[in-house]
Amino acid sequence: MYSDEDLNEAVNKGIFSPAAVNEFRQQFAQARNIHQVDEENFRLLSGFNDVFVVIASGLLLASLTWLGFETKPVLGALILAAGSWGLAEVFVRRKRMALPAIGLLLSFLAGLFAVPITLFDVSHSVHELQFVAAGLLTVAGAWLHWQRFRVPVTVAAAMVSLFLGVFGVLFSQFPEIRFYYQPYLAGAGLITFALAMYWDAKDPKRQTRNSDIAFWLHLLSAPLIVHPIFSTLGIFSGVTGYSTAMIVLALYTLLALVSIIVDRRAIMVSALVYVVYAMSGLLENYGFVSYSMALTGIFIGGSLLLLSAYWRQSRSFLVNNLPGKAQTFLPATH
């Protein structure tokens, strides 16, 4: 199995001509009655062997990490990071396997993040400065991993590590911030969304690795933006009245419009759990305790399927009514 990135590499090596590859892409899209850009492709599996390698790698790394942790906690963290990098040399750099690339990246960064935290007695509470060190170390590790392996999810993982480090600094210097962190979390989401749009603008045709990078950033940005808003509304405290539910639906509708305009379903998917929770809670308040989840699923699922069926038409209507300058940064609608 191959991806757009593999086709681009074949063109760069002179195996195929650019015209032949473009013609193949058009024929492929026409045969399946799809619009190539709107498919929002990203590479997750290159075959079932990916799943096999992830399971085997997980068993090996978990066992080695446990043995190291029994000796000394920081040793377990170092073994996890080093083992993940070593396996990535084989299965990512040489064999170019998609799912193991994501799994081994996350385990590598998890090992690095755990190093500053496990340097001290884990029975004591973790100081904010340890999170600062963990975040900065993980960002540095993510940069090195990116330089070596170019795994698209690396940028999103690095953003998470960076935010943890920044929040660690803020919490250590201004302890009162931890009681009203929501605006900072929403700010982190907006920064992530802006970065995602930057990568999207570099590849409006969605044919290179830049599109995959943007996908993971969009997947991260939505919950960062939505969670603090819903938390402020009291959704997670059981406050699910009529007005609250309407605000939730209005916010999700806004996210849906943004998702359609920028052509990224990942934004809607990553915020979907909040809407389902709010709507089911509202129905329970009105006496539909036994059927709240079923009715919510029917309403939300049906709406999303209808939107999917008319996604291209919806995009054309919305994008064509935007200013011409804004349209140049968005994927084409035809």
Side-chain angles (χ1 to χ4, degrees):
M1 185 175 291
Y2 53 84
S3 63
D4 278 324
E5 192 70 25
D6 298 321
L7 290 174
N8 294 333
E9 186 174 341
V11 170
N12 294 333
K13 291 182 177 180
I15 299 174
F16 303 128
S17 67
V21 170
N22 288 332
E23 185 177 351
F24 169 77
R25 284 177 172 140
Q26 292 175 5
Q27 192 277 332
F28 182 87
Q30 291 173 359
R32 288 158 177 77
N33 193 26
I34 61 174
H35 189 216
Q36 188 67 24
V37 171
D38 290 340
E39 287 306 291
E40 200 172 356
N41 293 314
F42 73 101
R43 192 177 184 188
L44 184 62
L45 282 173
S46 54
F48 188 76
N49 194 33
D50 285 38
V51 179
F52 184 80
V53 170
V54 167
I55 294 174
S57 298
L59 288 173
L60 176 63
L61 291 174
S63 300
L64 291 175
T65 302
W66 181 76
L67 290 175
F69 190 87
E70 288 295 309
T71 304
K72 194 173 184 180
V74 70
L75 182 60
L78 290 172
I79 288 175
L80 177 61
S84 299
W85 185 286
L87 291 173
E89 288 288 346
V90 177
F91 296 107
V92 180
R93 187 168 176 82
R94 288 175 52 190
K95 294 186 176 295
R96 302 183 62 183
M97 302 177 73
L99 188 60
I102 297 173
L104 291 172
L105 165 71
L106 296 179
S107 61
F108 169 71
L109 296 181
L112 286 184
F113 190 86
V115 169
I117 295 176
T118 54
L119 276 174
F120 304 95
D121 189 352
V122 293
S123 62
H124 292 76
S125 60
V126 180
H127 195 272
E128 285 86 352
L129 291 178
Q130 290 176 261
F131 278 108
V132 175
L136 295 177
L137 179 61
T138 309
V139 169
W143 183 82
L144 290 174
H145 199 281
W146 170 258
Q147 295 299 317
R148 182 67 173 172
F149 303 108
R150 300 282 176 176
V151 180
V153 72
T154 306
V155 180
M159 292 300 293
V160 173
S161 303
L162 179 62
F163 291 144
L164 287 174
V166 171
F167 289 152
V169 172
L170 291 175
F171 291 163
S172 63
Q173 297 299 316
F174 310 99
E176 65 277 5
I177 289 179
R178 70 185 65 193
F179 299 109
Y180 50 92
Y181 65 90
Q182 289 89 348
Y184 300 94
L185 200 61
L190 292 173
I191 292 172
T192 306
F193 177 77
L195 186 60
M197 292 304 301
Y198 164 78
W199 285 102
D200 258 342
K202 295 177 67 174
D203 182 24
K205 293 185 178 180
R206 306 276 171 87
Q207 294 177 354
T208 68
R209 185 183 287 113
N210 295 331
S211 177
D212 291 348
I213 296 170
F215 167 83
W216 292 108
L217 287 169
H218 279 300
L219 199 63
L220 172 64
S221 67
L224 287 176
I225 296 172
V226 170
H227 180 86
I229 298 176
F230 284 5
S231 178
T232 303
L233 290 173
I235 296 297
F236 307 112
S237 302
V239 180
T240 52
Y242 179 79
S243 59
T244 302
M246 290 302 101
I247 295 174
V248 169
L249 284 178
L251 178 60
Y252 194 69
T253 301
L254 178 61
L255 282 176
L257 292 175
V258 173
S259 183
I260 294 170
I261 290 172
V262 302
D263 204 10
R264 285 295 184 184
R265 296 170 182 81
I267 298 174
M268 298 175 62
V269 170
S270 57
L272 185 60
V273 63
Y274 300 99
V275 180
V276 172
Y277 184 85
M279 289 299 297
S280 62
L282 176 66
L283 290 174
E284 287 182 6
N285 289 342
Y286 280 88
F288 298 95
V289 177
S290 301
Y291 307 104
S292 60
M293 287 300 297
L295 293 175
T296 301
I298 292 172
F299 175 74
I300 299 295
S303 301
L304 293 180
L305 287 174
L306 184 64
L307 178 60
S308 178
Y310 293 96
W311 183 270
R312 188 175 178 183
Q313 294 87 336
S314 302
R315 280 208 72 234
S316 297
F317 174 78
L318 292 173
V319 174
N320 291 336
N321 283 284
L322 293 175
K325 188 174 181 180
Q327 294 183 31
T328 58
F329 296 98
L330 299 171
T333 58
H334 56 275

